[in-house]
Coordinates of all heavy atoms in Angstrom, one line a residue:
M1236 N 44.3 73.7 122.3 CA 45.2 74.0 121.2 C 45.0 72.9 120.2 O 45.3 71.7 120.6 CB 46.7 74.2 121.8 CG 47.6 74.7 120.7 SD 47.6 76.4 120.8 CE 48.1 77.1 119.4
W1237 N 45.1 73.1 119.0 CA 44.9 72.1 118.0 C 46.3 71.7 117.4 O 47.2 72.5 117.4 CB 44.0 72.4 116.9 CG 44.2 73.6 116.2 CD1 43.8 75.0 116.7 CD2 45.1 74.0 115.1 NE1 44.3 75.9 115.9 CE2 45.0 75.4 114.9 CE3 45.7 73.2 114.2 CZ2 45.8 75.9 113.9 CZ3 46.5 73.6 113.3 CH2 46.4 75.1 113.1
K1238 N 46.4 70.6 116.9 CA 47.6 70.1 116.2 C 47.3 70.0 114.7 O 46.3 69.9 114.3 CB 48.1 68.8 116.7 CG 48.4 68.8 118.1 CD 48.8 67.3 118.7 CE 49.1 67.2 120.0 NZ 49.4 65.9 120.3
K1239 N 48.4 70.2 113.9 CA 48.4 70.1 112.5 C 47.8 68.6 112.0 O 47.1 68.8 111.0 CB 49.7 70.4 111.8 CG 50.1 71.8 111.7 CD 51.3 72.0 110.8 CE 51.6 73.4 110.5 NZ 52.6 73.5 109.6
S1240 N 48.1 67.6 112.8 CA 47.7 66.3 112.2 C 46.1 66.1 112.5 O 45.6 65.4 111.8 CB 48.3 65.3 113.1 OG 48.1 65.5 114.5
E1241 N 45.6 67.0 113.2 CA 44.1 67.1 113.5 C 43.3 67.6 112.3 O 42.1 67.4 112.0 CB 43.7 67.7 114.6 CG 44.1 67.0 115.9 CD 43.9 67.8 117.1 OE1 43.4 69.0 117.1 OE2 44.1 67.3 118.3
L1242 N 44.2 68.3 111.4 CA 43.5 69.1 110.2 C 43.1 68.1 109.1 O 42.2 68.3 108.4 CB 44.3 70.2 109.7 CG 44.5 71.4 110.7 CD1 45.4 72.4 110.1 CD2 43.1 71.9 111.0
R1243 N 44.0 67.1 108.8 CA 43.9 66.2 107.6 C 44.4 64.9 108.0 O 45.3 64.7 108.9 CB 44.6 66.8 106.4 CG 46.1 67.0 106.7 CD 46.6 67.9 105.4 NE 47.0 69.0 105.6 CZ 48.1 69.5 106.0 NH1 49.0 68.7 106.2 NH2 48.2 70.9 106.2
E1244 N 44.0 63.9 107.2 CA 44.5 62.5 107.4 C 45.8 62.4 107.0 O 46.3 63.0 105.9 CB 43.4 61.6 106.7 CG 42.2 61.5 107.3 CD 41.3 60.5 106.6 OE1 41.9 59.5 106.2 OE2 40.1 60.6 106.5
A1245 N 46.6 61.4 107.5 CA 47.9 61.1 106.9 C 47.8 60.4 105.6 O 46.8 59.7 105.3 CB 48.6 60.2 107.9
P1246 N 48.8 60.7 104.7 CA 48.6 60.2 103.3 C 49.0 58.7 103.4 O 49.7 58.1 104.2 CB 49.6 60.8 102.5 CG 50.7 61.4 103.5 CD 49.7 61.6 104.8
A1247 N 48.5 57.9 102.4 CA 48.8 56.5 102.3 C 50.3 56.3 102.0 O 50.8 57.0 101.3 CB 47.8 55.7 101.3
P1248 N 50.9 55.2 102.6 CA 52.3 54.8 102.3 C 52.5 54.6 100.7 O 51.7 54.0 100.3 CB 52.5 53.8 103.2 CG 51.3 53.1 103.5 CD 50.4 54.2 103.5
L1249 N 53.6 55.0 100.3 CA 54.0 54.8 98.9 C 54.3 53.2 98.7 O 55.0 52.8 99.5 CB 55.1 55.7 98.5 CG 54.9 57.2 98.4 CD1 56.1 57.8 98.0 CD2 53.7 57.6 97.4
E1250 N 53.8 52.8 97.7 CA 54.2 51.3 97.4 C 55.2 51.4 96.0 O 54.9 52.2 95.1 CB 52.9 50.4 97.1 CG 52.2 50.2 98.4 CD 52.9 49.7 99.5 OE1 53.7 48.7 99.3 OE2 52.4 49.9 100.7
G1251 N 56.0 50.4 96.0 CA 56.9 50.3 94.8 C 58.0 49.4 95.1 O 57.9 48.7 96.0
P1252 N 58.9 49.4 94.2 CA 60.1 48.4 94.3 C 61.1 49.0 95.4 O 62.1 49.5 95.2 CB 60.7 48.5 92.9 CG 60.3 49.8 92.5 CD 59.0 50.2 93.0
V1253 N 60.7 48.7 96.6 CA 61.4 49.2 97.8 C 62.9 48.6 97.8 O 63.8 49.3 98.0 CB 60.6 49.0 99.1 CG1 61.4 49.6 100.3 CG2 59.3 49.6 99.1
V1254 N 62.9 47.3 97.6 CA 64.2 46.6 97.7 C 65.1 47.1 96.6 O 66.4 47.4 96.9 CB 64.0 45.1 97.7 CG1 65.4 44.4 97.7 CG2 63.2 44.6 98.8
G1255 N 64.6 47.3 95.4 CA 65.5 47.9 94.3 C 65.9 49.3 94.7 O 67.1 49.7 94.2
T1256 N 65.0 50.2 95.2 CA 65.3 51.4 95.5 C 66.5 51.6 96.6 O 67.4 52.4 96.4 CB 64.2 52.2 96.0 OG1 63.1 52.1 95.0 CG2 64.5 53.6 96.2
I1257 N 66.3 50.7 97.7 CA 67.3 50.9 98.7 C 68.6 50.2 98.1 O 69.6 50.8 98.4 CB 66.9 50.0 99.9 CG1 65.6 50.6 100.5 CG2 67.9 49.9 101.0 CD1 65.6 52.1 100.8
T1258 N 68.6 49.2 97.4 CA 69.9 48.7 96.8 C 70.6 49.6 95.9 O 71.6 49.8 96.0 CB 69.5 47.3 96.0 OG1 68.8 46.4 96.9 CG2 70.9 46.7 95.5
G1259 N 69.8 50.2 95.0 CA 70.3 51.3 94.2 C 71.0 52.4 94.9 O 72.2 52.8 94.5
G1260 N 70.3 52.9 95.9 CA 70.9 54.0 96.7 C 72.3 53.5 97.4 O 73.2 54.3 97.5
T1261 N 72.2 52.3 97.9 CA 73.4 51.8 98.6 C 74.6 51.7 97.6 O 75.7 52.0 97.9 CB 73.2 50.4 99.2 OG1 72.0 50.6 100.2 CG2 74.3 49.8 100.0
V1262 N 74.3 51.3 96.4 CA 75.3 51.1 95.4 C 75.9 52.5 95.1 O 77.1 52.6 95.0 CB 74.7 50.5 94.1 CG1 75.8 50.5 93.0 CG2 74.6 48.9 94.4
I1263 N 75.0 53.4 95.0 CA 75.4 54.8 94.7 C 76.4 55.4 95.9 O 77.4 55.9 95.6 CB 74.3 55.9 94.5 CG1 73.6 55.4 93.1 CG2 74.8 57.2 94.5 CD1 72.3 56.2 92.9
W1264 N 76.0 55.1 97.1 CA 76.9 55.5 98.2 C 78.3 54.9 98.1 O 79.4 55.5 98.3 CB 76.3 55.2 99.5 CG 75.2 56.1 100.0 CD1 73.8 55.9 100.3 CD2 75.4 57.4 100.3 NE1 73.3 57.0 100.7 CE2 74.2 58.1 100.8 CE3 76.5 58.4 100.4 CZ2 74.1 59.2 101.1 CZ3 76.4 59.8 100.8 CH2 75.1 60.1 101.2
F1265 N 78.4 53.6 97.8 CA 79.7 52.9 97.7 C 80.4 53.3 96.6 O 81.6 53.6 96.5 CB 79.4 51.5 97.7 CG 79.4 50.8 99.1 CD1 78.1 50.0 99.3 CD2 80.3 51.0 100.1 CE1 77.9 49.5 100.6 CE2 80.0 50.4 101.3 CZ 78.9 49.7 101.6
V1266 N 79.8 53.6 95.4 CA 80.4 54.2 94.3 C 81.0 55.6 94.5 O 82.2 55.9 94.2 CB 79.4 54.3 93.0 CG1 80.1 55.1 91.9 CG2 79.2 52.8 92.5
L1267 N 80.2 56.5 95.2 CA 80.8 57.7 95.6 C 81.9 57.6 96.5 O 83.1 58.2 96.5 CB 79.6 58.6 96.3 CG 78.6 59.1 95.4 CD1 77.5 59.7 96.1 CD2 79.2 60.1 94.4
F1268 N 82.0 56.7 97.5 CA 83.1 56.5 98.4 C 84.4 56.0 97.6 O 85.4 56.6 97.7 CB 82.8 55.3 99.4 CG 83.9 55.0 100.3 CD1 84.4 55.7 101.3 CD2 84.5 53.7 100.1 CE1 85.5 55.5 102.0 CE2 85.7 53.3 101.0 CZ 86.2 54.2 101.8
F1269 N 84.2 55.0 96.7 CA 85.4 54.5 95.9 C 85.8 55.5 94.9 O 87.0 55.5 94.7 CB 85.1 53.1 95.2 CG 84.9 52.1 96.3 CD1 83.9 51.3 96.5 CD2 86.1 51.7 97.1 CE1 83.8 50.4 97.5 CE2 86.1 50.7 97.9 CZ 84.9 50.0 98.2
A1270 N 85.0 56.4 94.4 CA 85.4 57.6 93.5 C 86.2 58.5 94.1 O 87.1 59.1 93.6 CB 84.1 58.0 92.9
Q1271 N 85.9 58.7 95.5 CA 86.7 59.8 96.3 C 88.0 59.3 96.8 O 88.8 60.1 97.2 CB 85.8 60.4 97.2 CG 84.6 61.2 96.8 CD 83.7 61.7 97.8 OE1 84.2 62.3 98.8 NE2 82.3 61.6 97.6
L1272 N 88.1 58.0 96.9 CA 89.3 57.5 97.6 C 90.5 57.8 97.1 O 91.5 58.0 97.9 CB 89.0 55.9 97.7 CG 89.8 55.1 98.9 CD1 89.4 55.7 100.2 CD2 89.4 53.7 98.9
P1273 N 90.7 57.9 95.9 CA 92.0 58.3 95.3 C 92.4 59.7 95.8 O 93.6 60.0 95.6 CB 91.9 58.1 93.7 CG 90.8 57.3 93.5 CD 89.9 57.5 94.7
F1274 N 91.4 60.6 96.1 CA 91.7 62.0 96.4 C 91.9 62.1 97.8 O 91.6 63.3 98.4 CB 90.6 62.7 95.8 CG 90.6 62.6 94.3 CD1 89.4 61.8 93.9 CD2 91.3 63.2 93.5 CE1 89.4 61.7 92.5 CE2 91.3 62.9 92.1 CZ 90.2 62.3 91.5
Y1275 N 92.1 61.0 98.6 CA 92.1 61.1 100.1 C 93.1 62.2 100.6 O 92.9 63.0 101.6 CB 92.5 59.7 100.7 CG 92.3 59.8 102.3 CD1 91.2 59.7 102.9 CD2 93.5 59.9 103.0 CE1 91.0 59.7 104.2 CE2 93.4 60.1 104.3 CZ 92.2 60.0 105.0 OH 92.2 59.9 106.4
G1276 N 94.2 62.3 100.0 CA 95.3 63.3 100.3 C 94.7 64.7 100.3 O 95.0 65.5 101.2
W1277 N 94.1 65.0 99.2 CA 93.4 66.4 99.1 C 92.5 66.6 100.1 O 92.4 67.8 100.6 CB 93.0 66.6 97.6 CG 92.5 67.9 97.3 CD1 93.2 68.9 96.7 CD2 91.2 68.4 97.7 NE1 92.5 70.1 96.7 CE2 91.2 69.8 97.2 CE3 90.0 67.9 98.1 CZ2 90.0 70.6 97.3 CZ3 89.0 68.7 98.3 CH2 88.9 70.1 97.9
Y1278 N 91.5 65.7 100.3 CA 90.5 65.8 101.3 C 91.1 66.1 102.7 O 90.7 66.8 103.5 CB 89.6 64.6 101.4 CG 88.6 64.6 100.2 CD1 88.6 63.5 99.3 CD2 87.8 65.6 99.9 CE1 87.8 63.5 98.4 CE2 86.9 65.7 99.0 CZ 86.9 64.5 98.1 OH 86.0 64.5 97.0
A1279 N 92.4 65.3 103.0 CA 93.0 65.4 104.3 C 93.5 66.7 104.4 O 93.5 67.4 105.5 CB 94.0 64.3 104.5
D1280 N 94.3 67.3 103.4 CA 94.8 68.6 103.4 C 93.8 69.8 103.7 O 94.2 70.7 104.4 CB 95.6 68.9 102.2 CG 96.8 68.0 102.0 OD1 97.2 67.4 102.8 OD2 97.3 67.9 100.8
H1281 N 92.7 69.5 103.0 CA 91.6 70.6 103.2 C 90.6 70.3 104.3 O 89.5 71.0 104.4 CB 91.0 70.9 101.9 CG 91.8 71.4 100.9 ND1 92.6 70.6 100.1 CD2 92.2 72.7 100.6 CE1 93.3 71.2 99.2 NE2 93.1 72.6 99.5
R1282 N 90.9 69.2 105.1 CA 90.0 68.8 106.3 C 88.6 68.6 105.6 O 87.6 68.9 106.5 CB 90.0 69.9 107.3 CG 91.4 70.1 108.0 CD 91.3 71.0 109.1 NE 92.6 71.2 109.8 CZ 92.8 71.8 110.9 NH1 91.8 72.5 111.5 NH2 93.9 71.8 111.4
H1283 N 88.6 67.7 104.7 CA 87.2 67.4 104.2 C 87.1 65.9 104.0 O 86.4 65.4 103.2 CB 87.0 68.0 102.9 CG 86.8 69.5 102.8 ND1 85.8 70.2 103.5 CD2 87.6 70.4 102.0 CE1 86.0 71.4 103.1 NE2 86.9 71.6 102.4
T1284 N 87.9 65.2 104.9 CA 87.7 63.7 104.9 C 86.4 63.2 105.1 O 86.0 62.1 105.0 CB 88.8 63.0 105.7 OG1 88.7 63.5 107.2 CG2 90.2 63.3 105.2
W1285 N 85.6 64.0 106.0 CA 84.3 63.5 106.3 C 83.4 63.4 105.0 O 82.5 62.6 105.2 CB 83.6 64.7 107.2 CG 83.4 66.0 106.5 CD1 84.1 67.0 106.5 CD2 82.1 66.4 105.8 NE1 83.5 68.0 105.8 CE2 82.3 67.7 105.4 CE3 80.8 65.8 105.7 CZ2 81.3 68.4 104.8 CZ3 79.9 66.4 105.0 CH2 80.1 67.7 104.5
F1286 N 83.7 63.9 103.9 CA 83.0 63.5 102.6 C 83.1 62.1 102.4 O 82.1 61.4 102.2 CB 83.6 64.2 101.5 CG 83.5 65.7 101.4 CD1 84.1 66.5 100.4 CD2 82.6 66.4 102.3 CE1 83.8 67.8 100.4 CE2 82.4 67.6 102.1 CZ 83.0 68.6 101.1
L1287 N 84.4 61.5 102.5 CA 84.5 60.0 102.3 C 83.7 59.3 103.3 O 83.1 58.3 103.1 CB 86.0 59.7 102.3 CG 86.7 60.0 101.2 CD1 87.6 61.3 101.4 CD2 87.8 58.9 100.8
W1288 N 83.9 59.6 104.6 CA 83.3 58.9 105.7 C 81.7 59.0 105.6 O 81.0 57.9 106.0 CB 83.8 59.2 107.0 CG 85.4 59.2 107.0 CD1 86.2 60.1 107.4 CD2 86.2 58.1 106.6 NE1 87.5 59.6 107.2 CE2 87.6 58.5 106.7 CE3 86.0 56.7 106.1 CZ2 88.6 57.6 106.4 CZ3 86.9 55.9 105.7 CH2 88.2 56.3 105.9
T1289 N 81.2 59.9 105.1 CA 79.8 60.1 104.9 C 79.3 59.1 103.9 O 78.3 58.4 104.3 CB 79.4 61.5 104.6 OG1 79.8 62.4 105.6 CG2 77.9 61.7 104.4
C1290 N 80.0 59.0 102.9 CA 79.7 58.1 101.8 C 79.7 56.5 102.4 O 79.0 55.8 102.1 CB 80.4 58.2 100.6 SG 80.2 59.7 99.7
L1291 N 80.8 56.3 103.1 CA 81.0 54.9 103.7 C 79.8 54.6 104.7 O 79.3 53.6 104.6 CB 82.3 54.8 104.4 CG 82.8 53.4 104.8 CD1 82.8 52.3 103.6 CD2 84.1 53.4 105.5
A1292 N 79.6 55.7 105.5 CA 78.4 55.6 106.5 C 77.1 55.2 105.7 O 76.4 54.5 106.1 CB 78.3 56.6 107.4
G1293 N 77.0 56.0 104.7 CA 75.7 55.8 103.8 C 75.6 54.3 103.2 O 74.6 53.8 103.2
G1294 N 76.8 53.9 102.7 CA 76.7 52.5 102.2 C 76.6 51.4 103.2 O 75.8 50.6 103.1
G1295 N 77.2 51.6 104.5 CA 76.9 50.8 105.6 C 75.5 50.7 106.0 O 74.9 49.7 106.2
L1296 N 74.9 51.9 106.1 CA 73.5 52.0 106.6 C 72.6 51.4 105.5 O 71.5 50.9 105.8 CB 73.0 53.4 106.9 CG 73.7 53.9 108.3 CD1 73.4 55.5 108.3 CD2 73.2 53.1 109.4
G1297 N 73.1 51.6 104.4 CA 72.2 51.0 103.2 C 72.2 49.5 103.2 O 71.2 48.9 102.8
L1298 N 73.3 48.9 103.6 CA 73.3 47.4 103.8 C 72.4 46.9 104.7 O 71.6 45.9 104.7 CB 74.8 47.0 104.2 CG 75.7 47.0 102.9 CD1 77.3 46.6 103.5 CD2 75.4 46.2 101.8
L1299 N 72.3 47.6 105.9 CA 71.4 47.4 107.0 C 69.9 47.6 106.5 O 68.9 46.9 106.7 CB 71.6 48.4 108.2 CG 70.7 48.2 109.4 CD1 70.8 46.8 110.0 CD2 71.0 49.4 110.4
G1300 N 69.7 48.6 105.6 CA 68.5 48.9 105.0 C 68.0 47.8 104.1 O 66.8 47.5 104.0
I1301 N 69.0 47.3 103.3 CA 68.7 46.2 102.3 C 68.2 45.0 103.1 O 67.2 44.4 102.8 CB 69.9 45.9 101.4 CG1 70.2 46.9 100.5 CG2 69.7 44.5 100.7 CD1 71.5 46.8 99.8
W1302 N 68.9 44.7 104.2 CA 68.5 43.6 105.1 C 67.1 43.9 105.6 O 66.2 42.9 105.5 CB 69.4 43.4 106.2 CG 69.0 42.4 107.3 CD1 69.2 41.0 107.0 CD2 68.5 42.7 108.5 NE1 68.7 40.4 108.3 CE2 68.3 41.4 109.2 CE3 68.1 43.9 109.2 CZ2 67.7 41.3 110.3 CZ3 67.6 43.8 110.4 CH2 67.2 42.5 110.9
Y1303 N 66.8 45.0 106.1 CA 65.5 45.3 106.7 C 64.4 45.2 105.7 O 63.4 44.5 105.8 CB 65.6 46.7 107.3 CG 64.1 47.1 107.9 CD1 63.8 46.7 109.1 CD2 63.4 47.9 107.2 CE1 62.6 47.0 109.6 CE2 62.2 48.2 107.7 CZ 61.7 47.8 109.0 OH 60.5 48.2 109.4
V1304 N 64.5 45.7 104.4 CA 63.5 45.7 103.6 C 63.2 44.5 102.9 O 62.1 44.2 102.5 CB 63.6 46.9 102.4 CG1 63.6 48.3 103.1 CG2 64.8 46.7 101.7
R1305 N 64.3 43.6 102.8 CA 64.1 42.3 102.3 C 63.2 41.4 103.3 O 62.3 40.7 102.9 CB 65.5 41.7 101.9 CG 66.1 42.3 100.8 CD 67.4 41.6 100.4 NE 66.9 40.2 99.8 CZ 67.8 39.3 99.7 NH1 69.0 39.3 100.2 NH2 67.4 37.9 99.3
K1306 N 63.5 41.5 104.6 CA 62.9 40.8 105.5 C 61.3 41.4 105.6 O 60.4 40.5 105.8 CB 63.5 40.9 107.0 CG 64.7 40.2 107.0 CD 65.3 39.9 108.4 CE 64.4 39.1 109.1 NZ 64.6 37.7 109.4
R1307 N 61.2 42.7 105.5 CA 59.9 43.2 105.4 C 59.0 42.8 104.3 O 57.9 42.4 104.5 CB 59.9 44.7 105.4 CG 58.7 45.5 105.4 CD 58.8 47.0 105.3 NE 57.7 47.7 105.1 CZ 57.0 47.9 103.9 NH1 57.6 47.6 102.8 NH2 56.0 48.6 104.0
D1308 N 59.6 42.7 103.1 CA 59.0 42.3 102.0 C 58.6 40.9 102.1 O 57.6 40.4 101.7 CB 59.8 42.5 100.7 CG 59.2 42.5 99.3 OD1 58.1 42.9 99.4 OD2 59.8 41.9 98.3
A1309 N 59.6 40.0 102.6 CA 59.3 38.5 102.8 C 58.1 38.4 103.8 O 57.2 37.5 103.5 CB 60.5 37.8 103.2
A1310 N 58.0 39.2 104.8 CA 57.0 39.1 105.9 C 55.6 39.6 105.2 O 54.5 38.9 105.5 CB 57.3 39.9 107.1
I1311 N 55.6 40.5 104.4 CA 54.4 41.1 103.7 C 53.9 39.9 102.8 O 52.6 39.7 102.7 CB 54.6 42.4 103.0 CG1 54.8 43.5 104.0 CG2 53.5 42.6 102.0 CD1 55.3 44.7 103.3
K1312 N 54.8 39.3 102.0 CA 54.4 38.2 101.1 C 53.8 37.0 101.7 O 52.9 36.3 101.5 CB 55.6 37.8 100.2 CG 55.8 38.9 99.2 CD 57.0 38.4 98.3 CE 57.3 39.6 97.3 NZ 58.5 39.4 96.6
R1313 N 54.4 36.7 103.0 CA 54.1 35.4 103.9 C 52.6 35.8 104.3 O 51.8 34.9 104.4 CB 55.0 35.3 105.0 CG 56.0 34.3 104.8 CD 56.8 33.9 106.0 NE 57.1 34.8 106.9 CZ 58.2 35.6 106.9 NH1 59.0 35.5 106.1 NH2 58.3 36.5 107.9
A1314 N 52.4 37.0 104.8 CA 51.1 37.3 105.5 C 50.0 37.2 104.3 O 49.0 36.9 104.5 CB 51.2 38.7 106.0
A1315 N 50.3 37.8 103.1 CA 49.4 37.7 101.9 C 49.2 36.3 101.5 O 48.0 36.0 101.2 CB 49.9 38.6 100.8
A1316 N 50.1 35.4 101.6 CA 49.9 34.0 101.3 C 49.0 33.3 102.2 O 48.3 32.5 101.9 CB 51.3 33.3 101.0
T1317 N 49.2 33.5 103.5 CA 48.5 32.9 104.5 C 47.0 33.5 104.6 O 46.1 32.8 104.8 CB 49.0 33.0 105.9 OG1 49.3 34.3 106.2 CG2 50.3 32.3 105.9
A1318 N 46.9 34.7 104.1 CA 45.4 35.3 104.2 C 44.6 34.9 103.0 O 43.5 34.8 103.0 CB 45.5 36.9 104.2
T1319 N 45.3 34.5 101.9 CA 44.5 34.1 100.7 C 43.8 32.8 100.8 O 42.7 32.7 100.5 CB 45.4 34.1 99.5 OG1 46.1 35.5 99.3 CG2 44.8 33.6 98.2
P1320 N 44.5 31.7 101.3 CA 43.7 30.4 101.5 C 42.6 30.5 102.5 O 41.5 29.8 102.2 CB 44.9 29.5 102.0 CG 46.2 30.1 101.6 CD 45.8 31.5 101.6
D1321 N 42.8 31.3 103.5 CA 41.6 31.5 104.4 C 40.5 32.0 103.9 O 39.3 31.6 104.0 CB 42.0 32.2 105.7 CG 43.1 31.5 106.5 OD1 43.2 30.3 106.3 OD2 43.9 32.2 107.3
A1322 N 40.7 32.9 103.0 CA 39.6 33.7 102.3 C 38.9 32.7 101.3 O 37.6 32.8 101.1 CB 40.0 35.0 101.6
A1323 N 39.8 31.9 100.7 CA 39.0 31.0 99.6 C 38.3 29.9 100.5 O 37.3 29.4 100.0 CB 40.1 30.4 98.9
N1324 N 38.8 29.4 101.5 CA 38.1 28.4 102.3 C 36.8 28.9 103.0 O 35.8 28.2 103.1 CB 38.9 27.8 103.4 CG 40.1 27.1 102.9 OD1 40.0 26.4 101.8 ND2 41.1 26.9 103.6
A1325 N 36.6 30.1 103.4 CA 35.4 30.7 103.9 C 34.4 30.8 102.9 O 33.2 30.9 103.3 CB 35.8 32.1 104.6
A1326 N 34.7 31.1 101.6 CA 33.6 31.2 100.7 C 33.1 30.1 100.2 O 32.8 29.1 100.5 CB 34.3 32.0 99.4

């Protein structure tokens, strides 16, 4: 039996401003949380408080994501900086 992954190669990963994208998304989650906070009573009456807690969880996970992508970006830059002098010395 064949798998779908055997039909074609995986696409190349997207490159771009990852740190800015994650930071922007995290800010949006927190803005949504604080915008809904004054309506907590209405949400509680209609059993929709999960709307608020979803936004807070998204913001919290976004903070974890910001930490992760900043460390990843720094590691990529360190690897590129150490690879460049070696290539220049070999030539």
Side-chain angles (χ1 to χ4, degrees):
M1236 189 92 200
W1237 55 271
K1238 296 179 183 177
K1239 280 189 171 186
S1240 61
E1241 294 173 354
L1242 295 178
R1243 59 185 105 93
E1244 293 182 32
L1249 296 175
E1250 296 296 329
V1253 179
V1254 176
T1256 302
I1257 301 300
T1258 303
T1261 302
V1262 168
I1263 289 172
W1264 278 117
F1265 280 122
V1266 165
L1267 289 172
F1268 172 73
F1269 287 116
Q1271 293 179 42
L1272 203 55
F1274 305 104
Y1275 183 83
W1277 185 89
Y1278 286 121
D1280 292 343
H1281 293 88
R1282 296 185 176 187
H1283 292 304
T1284 55
W1285 66 272
F1286 288 173
L1287 283 101
W1288 305 127
T1289 300
C1290 293
L1291 186 61
L1296 289 172
L1298 291 175
L1299 181 64
I1301 291 170
W1302 172 79
Y1303 177 79
V1304 297
R1305 288 185 72 199
K1306 291 199 59 105
R1307 177 184 176 268
D1308 195 37
I1311 290 171
K1312 287 179 181 174
R1313 269 194 318 272
T1317 57
T1319 303
D1321 293 340
N1324 291 337

